[in-house]
Amino acid sequence: MIDTLDVGERTTRVAVMNYASTVKVEFPLRTYFDKASMKEAISHIEPLSAGTMTGLAIQTAVDEVFTEEMGTRPATFNIPKVVIVVTDGRPQDQVQDVAASARTAGIEIYAVGVDRADMQSLRIMASEPLDEHVFYVETYGVIEKLTSKFRETFCAVNVCALGTHDCEQVCESNDRSYLCDCYECYTLNPDKRTCSAVDMCAPGRHECDQICVSNNGSYVCDCYEGYTLNPDKKTCSAMDMCAPGRHDCAQVCLSNDGSYSCDCYEGYTLNPDKKTCSAVDVCAPGRHDCEQVCVRDDLFYTCDCYQGYTLNPDKKTCSSKSRLLFPIPPYLPQLGTCIEIALISRLMYLDLFEKLTCAFKCIQTVLCLSAFSTLSNI
């Protein structure tokens, strides 16, 4: 029977009890985890003296064998507890209540009668259904024929329920063994036991338009600066960077695919900070077409002329106010001198008529000299 079991610390654990009028635990569940050592120990077991204290044997199994101190794994692991009672006589103590208490505690009892065993007692102690838990053989030598029956029960144990597997996340029972697997969004590592989060942001694994942010086996989408995530949480749209409060342009904001640049109104120029503007000096050289004087008026200008000149109808050029229709003689400036002679303070004693007469004579002299100069040039 031992050969049919998957014996091991993480699989099937076996204890052996010997009983007659007394009970002896030959070895508990925590002692042997390999078949060879276990069979060697069983080969040295000696029968006890006469007697059949079956009830005491079952109670000892409950109290001393199926305990964590003796090798039973915690109840939270949901590992089946099985007792196979092999007897060739009638119980000499109360079996019914003890067996019922053991079954209530979660222990599955198989009863095997040999030779003169009392079948009624076997049925009282065994678990339901009785036709699967009560057996009879003529001799101890043919008990091995029942191993296939027991194997069906033992091998049906979910190995993953033992709690001693080394799968990090998911344990999948596989016949008498198990395989490890991982939760969704995780992948099994080469050691076939541990798991690593799948890089959900690897190419082809996500549907983010711009930026994929890995998040513990999952991911969220984000956008580049100047873009905002759309309601679908996947695609992005360029922000209106020229919306109020989003830029620091003093005058004009020009949106440019998720960014912006500043500009200025006509008549203003962008300062080196690329944000603020200053009024253009429209009267700076090369920026106006005034012949003489440029007068700035905020962002505009008007033309003016020097003293003694007047602005022409084109509002740009200037003409002298004293321009004559004939050429100006070289001695014409002396006419002014004549007038000044008539008005200087040292002639103040002359009356007005005398002053004018003096001036007129001076003018005549100048004109005469001017005419003489012109003829001599000819």
Side-chain angles (χ1 to χ4, degrees), residues 71-97:
T72 298
R73 282 158 285 194
T76 54
F77 290 177
N78 296 318
I79 299 173
K81 299 175 183 178
V82 178
V83 167
I84 300 176
V85 178
V86 180
T87 179
D88 58 358
R90 179 190 299 272
Q92 296 175 338
D93 56 358
Q94 294 295 324
V95 173
Q96 185 171 355
D97 293 341

PDB file of all heavy atoms in Angstrom, residues 71-97:
ATOM      1  N   GLY A  71       2.495  16.589  13.348  1.00  0.00           N
ATOM      2  CA  GLY A  71       2.696  16.593  11.898  1.00  0.00           C
ATOM      3  C   GLY A  71       1.475  16.869  11.056  1.00  0.00           C
ATOM      4  O   GLY A  71       1.581  16.930   9.819  1.00  0.00           O
ATOM      5  N   THR A  72       0.334  17.037  11.679  1.00  0.00           N
ATOM      6  CA  THR A  72      -0.867  17.365  10.896  1.00  0.00           C
ATOM      7  C   THR A  72      -0.798  18.824  10.454  1.00  0.00           C
ATOM      8  O   THR A  72      -0.456  19.712  11.239  1.00  0.00           O
ATOM      9  CB  THR A  72      -2.143  17.149  11.735  1.00  0.00           C
ATOM     10  OG1 THR A  72      -2.224  15.778  12.104  1.00  0.00           O
ATOM     11  CG2 THR A  72      -3.385  17.546  10.945  1.00  0.00           C
ATOM     12  N   ARG A  73      -1.094  19.084   9.202  1.00  0.00           N
ATOM     13  CA  ARG A  73      -1.062  20.467   8.708  1.00  0.00           C
ATOM     14  C   ARG A  73      -2.330  21.220   9.136  1.00  0.00           C
ATOM     15  O   ARG A  73      -3.365  20.591   9.408  1.00  0.00           O
ATOM     16  CB  ARG A  73      -0.881  20.467   7.186  1.00  0.00           C
ATOM     17  CG  ARG A  73       0.568  20.195   6.805  1.00  0.00           C
ATOM     18  CD  ARG A  73       0.715  19.680   5.402  1.00  0.00           C
ATOM     19  NE  ARG A  73       0.298  18.295   5.289  1.00  0.00           N
ATOM     20  CZ  ARG A  73       0.572  17.525   4.236  1.00  0.00           C
ATOM     21  NH1 ARG A  73       1.281  18.020   3.227  1.00  0.00           N
ATOM     22  NH2 ARG A  73       0.159  16.276   4.196  1.00  0.00           N
ATOM     23  N   PRO A  74      -2.253  22.535   9.233  1.00  0.00           N
ATOM     24  CA  PRO A  74      -3.380  23.332   9.754  1.00  0.00           C
ATOM     25  C   PRO A  74      -4.693  23.049   9.034  1.00  0.00           C
ATOM     26  O   PRO A  74      -4.717  22.738   7.833  1.00  0.00           O
ATOM     27  CB  PRO A  74      -2.927  24.778   9.522  1.00  0.00           C
ATOM     28  CG  PRO A  74      -1.433  24.710   9.521  1.00  0.00           C
ATOM     29  CD  PRO A  74      -1.099  23.406   8.879  1.00  0.00           C
ATOM     30  N   ALA A  75      -5.778  23.188   9.771  1.00  0.00           N
ATOM     31  CA  ALA A  75      -7.106  22.903   9.215  1.00  0.00           C
ATOM     32  C   ALA A  75      -7.437  23.823   8.059  1.00  0.00           C
ATOM     33  O   ALA A  75      -8.227  23.466   7.173  1.00  0.00           O
ATOM     34  CB  ALA A  75      -8.157  23.023  10.318  1.00  0.00           C
ATOM     35  N   THR A  76      -6.843  25.015   8.061  1.00  0.00           N
ATOM     36  CA  THR A  76      -7.137  25.977   6.986  1.00  0.00           C
ATOM     37  C   THR A  76      -6.651  25.469   5.629  1.00  0.00           C
ATOM     38  O   THR A  76      -7.080  25.969   4.589  1.00  0.00           O
ATOM     39  CB  THR A  76      -6.469  27.327   7.288  1.00  0.00           C
ATOM     40  OG1 THR A  76      -5.066  27.133   7.530  1.00  0.00           O
ATOM     41  CG2 THR A  76      -7.112  27.976   8.504  1.00  0.00           C
ATOM     42  N   PHE A  77      -5.757  24.453   5.627  1.00  0.00           N
ATOM     43  CA  PHE A  77      -5.264  23.909   4.376  1.00  0.00           C
ATOM     44  C   PHE A  77      -6.262  22.939   3.741  1.00  0.00           C
ATOM     45  O   PHE A  77      -6.084  22.528   2.602  1.00  0.00           O
ATOM     46  CB  PHE A  77      -3.935  23.179   4.594  1.00  0.00           C
ATOM     47  CG  PHE A  77      -2.781  24.091   4.903  1.00  0.00           C
ATOM     48  CD1 PHE A  77      -1.535  23.561   5.188  1.00  0.00           C
ATOM     49  CD2 PHE A  77      -2.936  25.473   4.931  1.00  0.00           C
ATOM     50  CE1 PHE A  77      -0.455  24.396   5.466  1.00  0.00           C
ATOM     51  CE2 PHE A  77      -1.864  26.304   5.217  1.00  0.00           C
ATOM     52  CZ  PHE A  77      -0.624  25.768   5.485  1.00  0.00           C
ATOM     53  N   ASN A  78      -7.275  22.550   4.512  1.00  0.00           N
ATOM     54  CA  ASN A  78      -8.323  21.641   4.011  1.00  0.00           C
ATOM     55  C   ASN A  78      -7.748  20.315   3.485  1.00  0.00           C
ATOM     56  O   ASN A  78      -8.138  19.819   2.423  1.00  0.00           O
ATOM     57  CB  ASN A  78      -9.144  22.318   2.904  1.00  0.00           C
ATOM     58  CG  ASN A  78      -9.911  23.517   3.413  1.00  0.00           C
ATOM     59  OD1 ASN A  78     -10.497  23.482   4.495  1.00  0.00           O
ATOM     60  ND2 ASN A  78      -9.916  24.589   2.636  1.00  0.00           N
ATOM     61  N   ILE A  79      -6.806  19.768   4.209  1.00  0.00           N
ATOM     62  CA  ILE A  79      -6.203  18.491   3.811  1.00  0.00           C
ATOM     63  C   ILE A  79      -7.010  17.340   4.431  1.00  0.00           C
ATOM     64  O   ILE A  79      -7.243  17.319   5.638  1.00  0.00           O
ATOM     65  CB  ILE A  79      -4.746  18.422   4.281  1.00  0.00           C
ATOM     66  CG1 ILE A  79      -3.955  19.569   3.620  1.00  0.00           C
ATOM     67  CG2 ILE A  79      -4.130  17.073   3.948  1.00  0.00           C
ATOM     68  CD1 ILE A  79      -2.560  19.710   4.140  1.00  0.00           C
ATOM     69  N   PRO A  80      -7.437  16.396   3.618  1.00  0.00           N
ATOM     70  CA  PRO A  80      -8.228  15.270   4.154  1.00  0.00           C
ATOM     71  C   PRO A  80      -7.463  14.476   5.215  1.00  0.00           C
ATOM     72  O   PRO A  80      -6.252  14.271   5.089  1.00  0.00           O
ATOM     73  CB  PRO A  80      -8.495  14.417   2.911  1.00  0.00           C
ATOM     74  CG  PRO A  80      -8.353  15.359   1.755  1.00  0.00           C
ATOM     75  CD  PRO A  80      -7.283  16.328   2.155  1.00  0.00           C
ATOM     76  N   LYS A  81      -8.187  14.072   6.230  1.00  0.00           N
ATOM     77  CA  LYS A  81      -7.628  13.213   7.281  1.00  0.00           C
ATOM     78  C   LYS A  81      -8.292  11.843   7.150  1.00  0.00           C
ATOM     79  O   LYS A  81      -9.517  11.741   7.174  1.00  0.00           O
ATOM     80  CB  LYS A  81      -7.913  13.797   8.666  1.00  0.00           C
ATOM     81  CG  LYS A  81      -7.300  15.182   8.866  1.00  0.00           C
ATOM     82  CD  LYS A  81      -7.728  15.759  10.212  1.00  0.00           C
ATOM     83  CE  LYS A  81      -7.198  17.172  10.397  1.00  0.00           C
ATOM     84  NZ  LYS A  81      -7.641  17.771  11.684  1.00  0.00           N
ATOM     85  N   VAL A  82      -7.471  10.821   6.989  1.00  0.00           N
ATOM     86  CA  VAL A  82      -7.991   9.476   6.711  1.00  0.00           C
ATOM     87  C   VAL A  82      -7.437   8.478   7.738  1.00  0.00           C
ATOM     88  O   VAL A  82      -6.238   8.478   8.031  1.00  0.00           O
ATOM     89  CB  VAL A  82      -7.618   9.016   5.289  1.00  0.00           C
ATOM     90  CG1 VAL A  82      -8.128   7.587   5.039  1.00  0.00           C
ATOM     91  CG2 VAL A  82      -8.179   9.982   4.257  1.00  0.00           C
ATOM     92  N   VAL A  83      -8.335   7.615   8.249  1.00  0.00           N
ATOM     93  CA  VAL A  83      -7.947   6.516   9.145  1.00  0.00           C
ATOM     94  C   VAL A  83      -8.368   5.203   8.484  1.00  0.00           C
ATOM     95  O   VAL A  83      -9.519   5.058   8.062  1.00  0.00           O
ATOM     96  CB  VAL A  83      -8.610   6.636  10.526  1.00  0.00           C
ATOM     97  CG1 VAL A  83      -8.446   5.330  11.322  1.00  0.00           C
ATOM     98  CG2 VAL A  83      -8.007   7.798  11.300  1.00  0.00           C
ATOM     99  N   ILE A  84      -7.426   4.265   8.401  1.00  0.00           N
ATOM    100  CA  ILE A  84      -7.747   2.921   7.909  1.00  0.00           C
ATOM    101  C   ILE A  84      -7.598   1.959   9.105  1.00  0.00           C
ATOM    102  O   ILE A  84      -6.483   1.742   9.599  1.00  0.00           O
ATOM    103  CB  ILE A  84      -6.812   2.488   6.779  1.00  0.00           C
ATOM    104  CG1 ILE A  84      -6.916   3.466   5.599  1.00  0.00           C
ATOM    105  CG2 ILE A  84      -7.156   1.071   6.314  1.00  0.00           C
ATOM    106  CD1 ILE A  84      -5.938   3.145   4.480  1.00  0.00           C
ATOM    107  N   VAL A  85      -8.736   1.455   9.555  1.00  0.00           N
ATOM    108  CA  VAL A  85      -8.735   0.531  10.700  1.00  0.00           C
ATOM    109  C   VAL A  85      -8.722  -0.907  10.156  1.00  0.00           C
ATOM    110  O   VAL A  85      -9.620  -1.299   9.401  1.00  0.00           O
ATOM    111  CB  VAL A  85      -9.973   0.730  11.589  1.00  0.00           C
ATOM    112  CG1 VAL A  85      -9.967  -0.279  12.749  1.00  0.00           C
ATOM    113  CG2 VAL A  85     -10.028   2.154  12.112  1.00  0.00           C
ATOM    114  N   VAL A  86      -7.698  -1.647  10.512  1.00  0.00           N
ATOM    115  CA  VAL A  86      -7.594  -3.051  10.083  1.00  0.00           C
ATOM    116  C   VAL A  86      -7.717  -3.925  11.341  1.00  0.00           C
ATOM    117  O   VAL A  86      -6.893  -3.806  12.264  1.00  0.00           O
ATOM    118  CB  VAL A  86      -6.248  -3.325   9.380  1.00  0.00           C
ATOM    119  CG1 VAL A  86      -6.180  -4.799   8.940  1.00  0.00           C
ATOM    120  CG2 VAL A  86      -6.078  -2.390   8.177  1.00  0.00           C
ATOM    121  N   THR A  87      -8.720  -4.770  11.369  1.00  0.00           N
ATOM    122  CA  THR A  87      -8.961  -5.588  12.566  1.00  0.00           C
ATOM    123  C   THR A  87      -9.447  -6.984  12.166  1.00  0.00           C
ATOM    124  O   THR A  87     -10.082  -7.159  11.128  1.00  0.00           O
ATOM    125  CB  THR A  87     -10.013  -4.916  13.477  1.00  0.00           C
ATOM    126  OG1 THR A  87     -10.246  -5.755  14.632  1.00  0.00           O
ATOM    127  CG2 THR A  87     -11.315  -4.687  12.749  1.00  0.00           C
ATOM    128  N   ASP A  88      -9.112  -7.938  13.056  1.00  0.00           N
ATOM    129  CA  ASP A  88      -9.552  -9.313  12.783  1.00  0.00           C
ATOM    130  C   ASP A  88     -10.469  -9.817  13.896  1.00  0.00           C
ATOM    131  O   ASP A  88     -10.670 -11.033  14.043  1.00  0.00           O
ATOM    132  CB  ASP A  88      -8.344 -10.249  12.637  1.00  0.00           C
ATOM    133  CG  ASP A  88      -7.476 -10.250  13.872  1.00  0.00           C
ATOM    134  OD1 ASP A  88      -7.798  -9.495  14.835  1.00  0.00           O
ATOM    135  OD2 ASP A  88      -6.459 -10.965  13.916  1.00  0.00           O
ATOM    136  N   GLY A  89     -11.022  -8.924  14.703  1.00  0.00           N
ATOM    137  CA  GLY A  89     -11.890  -9.364  15.785  1.00  0.00           C
ATOM    138  C   GLY A  89     -13.036  -8.406  16.016  1.00  0.00           C
ATOM    139  O   GLY A  89     -13.302  -7.496  15.232  1.00  0.00           O
ATOM    140  N   ARG A  90     -13.692  -8.617  17.167  1.00  0.00           N
ATOM    141  CA  ARG A  90     -14.791  -7.757  17.553  1.00  0.00           C
ATOM    142  C   ARG A  90     -14.269  -6.740  18.576  1.00  0.00           C
ATOM    143  O   ARG A  90     -13.528  -7.126  19.491  1.00  0.00           O
ATOM    144  CB  ARG A  90     -15.901  -8.602  18.176  1.00  0.00           C
ATOM    145  CG  ARG A  90     -17.117  -7.804  18.651  1.00  0.00           C
ATOM    146  CD  ARG A  90     -18.057  -8.698  19.463  1.00  0.00           C
ATOM    147  NE  ARG A  90     -18.544  -9.810  18.649  1.00  0.00           N
ATOM    148  CZ  ARG A  90     -19.624  -9.767  17.888  1.00  0.00           C
ATOM    149  NH1 ARG A  90     -20.317  -8.632  17.823  1.00  0.00           N
ATOM    150  NH2 ARG A  90     -20.008 -10.818  17.215  1.00  0.00           N
ATOM    151  N   PRO A  91     -14.631  -5.471  18.457  1.00  0.00           N
ATOM    152  CA  PRO A  91     -14.159  -4.454  19.419  1.00  0.00           C
ATOM    153  C   PRO A  91     -14.559  -4.828  20.846  1.00  0.00           C
ATOM    154  O   PRO A  91     -15.679  -5.277  21.087  1.00  0.00           O
ATOM    155  CB  PRO A  91     -14.848  -3.183  18.950  1.00  0.00           C
ATOM    156  CG  PRO A  91     -15.173  -3.404  17.517  1.00  0.00           C
ATOM    157  CD  PRO A  91     -15.471  -4.864  17.401  1.00  0.00           C
ATOM    158  N   GLN A  92     -13.619  -4.626  21.772  1.00  0.00           N
ATOM    159  CA  GLN A  92     -13.876  -4.911  23.165  1.00  0.00           C
ATOM    160  C   GLN A  92     -14.216  -3.647  23.947  1.00  0.00           C
ATOM    161  O   GLN A  92     -14.255  -3.690  25.180  1.00  0.00           O
ATOM    162  CB  GLN A  92     -12.644  -5.607  23.770  1.00  0.00           C
ATOM    163  CG  GLN A  92     -12.366  -6.972  23.134  1.00  0.00           C
ATOM    164  CD  GLN A  92     -11.091  -7.591  23.657  1.00  0.00           C
ATOM    165  OE1 GLN A  92     -10.207  -6.891  24.164  1.00  0.00           O
ATOM    166  NE2 GLN A  92     -10.970  -8.913  23.545  1.00  0.00           N
ATOM    167  N   ASP A  93     -14.432  -2.571  23.247  1.00  0.00           N
ATOM    168  CA  ASP A  93     -14.840  -1.317  23.904  1.00  0.00           C
ATOM    169  C   ASP A  93     -15.874  -0.624  23.025  1.00  0.00           C
ATOM    170  O   ASP A  93     -16.276  -1.128  21.964  1.00  0.00           O
ATOM    171  CB  ASP A  93     -13.631  -0.407  24.151  1.00  0.00           C
ATOM    172  CG  ASP A  93     -12.843  -0.102  22.884  1.00  0.00           C
ATOM    173  OD1 ASP A  93     -13.213  -0.624  21.809  1.00  0.00           O
ATOM    174  OD2 ASP A  93     -11.859   0.672  22.938  1.00  0.00           O
ATOM    175  N   GLN A  94     -16.349   0.538  23.489  1.00  0.00           N
ATOM    176  CA  GLN A  94     -17.365   1.278  22.744  1.00  0.00           C
ATOM    177  C   GLN A  94     -16.739   1.948  21.510  1.00  0.00           C
ATOM    178  O   GLN A  94     -15.780   2.717  21.620  1.00  0.00           O
ATOM    179  CB  GLN A  94     -18.009   2.342  23.640  1.00  0.00           C
ATOM    180  CG  GLN A  94     -18.816   1.755  24.787  1.00  0.00           C
ATOM    181  CD  GLN A  94     -20.025   0.971  24.265  1.00  0.00           C
ATOM    182  OE1 GLN A  94     -20.653   1.345  23.262  1.00  0.00           O
ATOM    183  NE2 GLN A  94     -20.337  -0.128  24.937  1.00  0.00           N
ATOM    184  N   VAL A  95     -17.276   1.646  20.370  1.00  0.00           N
ATOM    185  CA  VAL A  95     -16.745   2.163  19.104  1.00  0.00           C
ATOM    186  C   VAL A  95     -17.665   3.211  18.476  1.00  0.00           C
ATOM    187  O   VAL A  95     -17.204   4.212  17.907  1.00  0.00           O
ATOM    188  CB  VAL A  95     -16.526   1.012  18.101  1.00  0.00           C
ATOM    189  CG1 VAL A  95     -16.139   1.567  16.733  1.00  0.00           C
ATOM    190  CG2 VAL A  95     -15.461   0.064  18.610  1.00  0.00           C
ATOM    191  N   GLN A  96     -18.965   2.987  18.637  1.00  0.00           N
ATOM    192  CA  GLN A  96     -19.928   3.818  17.891  1.00  0.00           C
ATOM    193  C   GLN A  96     -19.773   5.307  18.176  1.00  0.00           C
ATOM    194  O   GLN A  96     -19.643   6.119  17.265  1.00  0.00           O
ATOM    195  CB  GLN A  96     -21.352   3.366  18.231  1.00  0.00           C
ATOM    196  CG  GLN A  96     -22.397   4.104  17.412  1.00  0.00           C
ATOM    197  CD  GLN A  96     -23.776   3.501  17.607  1.00  0.00           C
ATOM    198  OE1 GLN A  96     -23.961   2.478  18.285  1.00  0.00           O
ATOM    199  NE2 GLN A  96     -24.775   4.111  16.984  1.00  0.00           N
ATOM    200  N   ASP A  97     -19.775   5.692  19.456  1.00  0.00           N
ATOM    201  CA  ASP A  97     -19.696   7.112  19.805  1.00  0.00           C
ATOM    202  C   ASP A  97     -18.331   7.717  19.454  1.00  0.00           C
ATOM    203  O   ASP A  97     -18.240   8.858  18.976  1.00  0.00           O
ATOM    204  CB  ASP A  97     -19.970   7.308  21.294  1.00  0.00           C
ATOM    205  CG  ASP A  97     -21.421   6.965  21.647  1.00  0.00           C
ATOM    206  OD1 ASP A  97     -22.251   6.946  20.714  1.00  0.00           O
ATOM    207  OD2 ASP A  97     -21.687   6.742  22.843  1.00  0.00           O
TER     208      ASP A  97
END
